């Protein structure tokens, strides 16, 4: 009963906060900024009672200053291609997701208690939903990172082909990188980021920024390409032979990956065909099994 009273007090406090905030927000803006033209998009986002409570109880997940270092959302956002414009938007979406899972966990726990399943299963079900709600935003970013890594490999083949054609025609390296970036895609966008960073910061810092945005920092071909860029700008080694070799390697790997997927599809289709034939045979024999018995 004490727990229910505590939860009821929290719910009442949040409801009161949201009600007062909603009633006074417009009046405060028009009263304090009277006669001043302001862009509505520049106004700060209205506070949320749920966000305050969840940040208080789970600071490692929802508070940017105390986030879990093992799952730095800033690094994940960079590697996933910025599906959220800011870190605050990511945490706001994470709070909304966790609120949904928290409500589902409460409903599941209440249903189990109403069915006299016991307190332990109810607490376990709620804990599972809480755990899933905390992990889902980060798992979603990890999924986007894996998809971007696959898309980068496919786009890398196109970008290297365009870059090789431009370098072979005598265009400078920086201009070739800029024109290749106009193609678009994960890899070409990294080329554009490199060119843009080189115009405002030293080359070493520009490469570090590009490396921080790689979806897979351990990708061999991408690391070799960055190494070739470093060798060109630091030691004036020709870039065209390295680009040709990388294009051949990426083309071979794309073909091998495609052949592997085709082999997997053929294997699964054959397995499904065997299962279908077995089911057909069982369906034909089944009516006669009772006769023989």
């Amino acid at each position: 009963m004490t727990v229910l009273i505590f939860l009821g007090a929290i719910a009442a406090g949040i409801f009161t906060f949201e009600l007062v905030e909603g009633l006074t927000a417009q009046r405060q803006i028009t009263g304090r900024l009277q006669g001043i033209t302001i862009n509505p998009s520049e106004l700060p986002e209205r506070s949320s009672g749920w966000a305050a409570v969840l940040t208080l109880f789970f600071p490692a997940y929802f508070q940017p200053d105390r986030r879990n270092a093992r799952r730095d959302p800033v690094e994940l956002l960079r590697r996933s291609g910025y599906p959220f414009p800011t870190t605050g938007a990511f945490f706001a979406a994470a709070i909304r997701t966790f609120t949904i899972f928290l409500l589902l966990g409460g409903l599941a726990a209440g249903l189990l208690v109403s069915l006299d399943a016991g307190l332990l299963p109810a607490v376990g079900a709620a804990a599972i939903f809480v755990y899933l709600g905390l992990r889902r935003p980060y798992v979603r970013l990890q999924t986007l990172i894996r998809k971007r890594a696959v898309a980068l490999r496919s786009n890398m083949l196109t970008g290297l082909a365009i870059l090789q054609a431009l370098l072979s025609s005598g265009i400078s390296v920086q201009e070739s990188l800029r024109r290749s970036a106009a193609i678009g895609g994960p890899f070409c966008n990294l080329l554009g980021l490199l060119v843009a960073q080189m115009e405002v910061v030293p080359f070493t810092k520009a490469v570090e920024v590009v490396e921080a945005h790689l979806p897979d920092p351990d990708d061999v071909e991408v690391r070799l390409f960055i190494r070739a860029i470093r060798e060109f700008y630091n030691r004036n080694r020709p870039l065209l032979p390295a680009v040709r070799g990388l294009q051949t390697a990426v083309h071979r790997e794309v073909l091998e990956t495609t052949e592997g997927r085709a082999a997997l599809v053929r294997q699964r289709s054959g397995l499904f065909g065997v299962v279908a034939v077995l089911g057909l045979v069982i369906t034909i024999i089944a009516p006669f099994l009772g006769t023989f018995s």
Side-chain angles (χ1 to χ4, degrees):
M1 183 59 69
T2 305
V3 176
L4 295 178
I5 295 175
F6 174 72
L7 294 177
I10 292 179
I14 293 175
F15 176 76
T16 304
F17 175 82
E18 296 287 349
L19 181 61
V20 174
E21 186 75 11
L23 292 176
T24 59
Q26 185 65 29
R27 181 181 58 82
Q28 291 177 355
I29 292 176
T30 55
R32 296 182 180 181
L33 302 178
Q34 186 175 3
I36 300 177
T37 303
I38 187 171
N39 188 359
S41 61
E42 297 178 356
L43 295 175
E45 187 177 355
R46 190 171 65 89
S47 302
S48 173
W50 278 113
V53 172
L54 295 178
T55 304
L56 175 64
F57 284 98
F58 302 96
Y61 289 89
F62 299 130
Q63 189 171 346
D65 296 335
R66 298 176 61 184
R67 58 178 175 263
N68 194 336
R70 292 175 299 177
R71 294 184 296 181
D72 187 1
V74 177
E75 178 184 357
L76 295 178
L77 288 174
R78 289 172 181 168
R79 294 172 55 193
S80 60
Y82 294 101
F84 299 95
T86 62
T87 309
F90 166 74
F91 281 107
I95 290 174
R96 289 193 296 268
T97 301
F98 180 74
T99 302
I100 295 174
F101 276 83
L102 185 62
L103 293 175
L104 293 176
L107 293 175
L111 180 62
L112 291 175
V113 171
S114 64
L115 296 176
D116 295 332
L119 182 61
L120 185 59
V123 174
I128 290 174
F129 276 98
V130 169
Y131 176 75
L132 294 177
L134 292 174
R135 279 186 53 85
R136 182 172 177 80
Y138 298 93
V139 172
R140 187 180 301 171
L141 288 182
Q142 293 288 354
T143 303
L144 292 176
I145 289 174
R146 289 192 294 269
K147 292 182 179 179
R148 184 167 178 258
V150 175
L152 185 142
R153 177 55 58 87
S154 301
N155 185 243
M156 186 177 183
L157 182 60
T158 304
L160 290 176
I162 299 298
L163 185 60
Q164 177 186 351
L166 293 173
L167 292 175
S168 301
S169 61
I171 301 177
S172 64
V173 173
Q174 189 162 353
E175 183 64 23
S176 298
L177 293 175
R178 180 180 290 105
R179 294 187 182 183
S180 300
I183 303 300
F187 179 75
C188 294
N189 289 339
L190 290 177
L191 297 182
L193 177 63
L194 176 62
V195 174
Q197 290 293 321
M198 287 171 55
E199 295 177 353
V200 296
V201 297
F203 171 74
T204 304
K205 182 64 177 178
V207 173
E208 292 177 357
V209 172
V210 173
E211 290 177 339
H213 288 77
L214 294 177
D216 184 8
D218 299 327
D219 193 322
V220 178
E221 280 75 16
V222 176
R223 302 299 304 181
L224 289 175
F225 177 78
I226 293 178
R227 180 180 177 181
I229 292 291
R230 279 200 176 103
E231 293 293 331
F232 172 78
Y233 280 100
N234 293 334
R235 302 182 181 180
N236 200 22
R237 291 186 177 179
L239 182 62
L240 182 57
V243 171
R244 287 175 177 170
L246 285 175
Q247 182 186 1
T248 303
V250 173
H251 183 263
R252 185 185 303 114
E253 185 170 352
V254 170
L255 288 179
E256 292 176 354
T257 303
T258 304
E259 291 176 356
R261 292 178 180 176
L264 182 60
V265 170
R266 287 194 298 267
Q267 180 183 3
R268 291 182 177 179
S269 61
L271 180 61
F272 291 156
V274 172
V275 173
V277 172
L278 290 177
L280 181 61
V281 172
I282 294 175
T283 303
I284 296 174
I285 298 177
F288 302 98
L289 294 180
T291 305
F292 292 112
S293 61

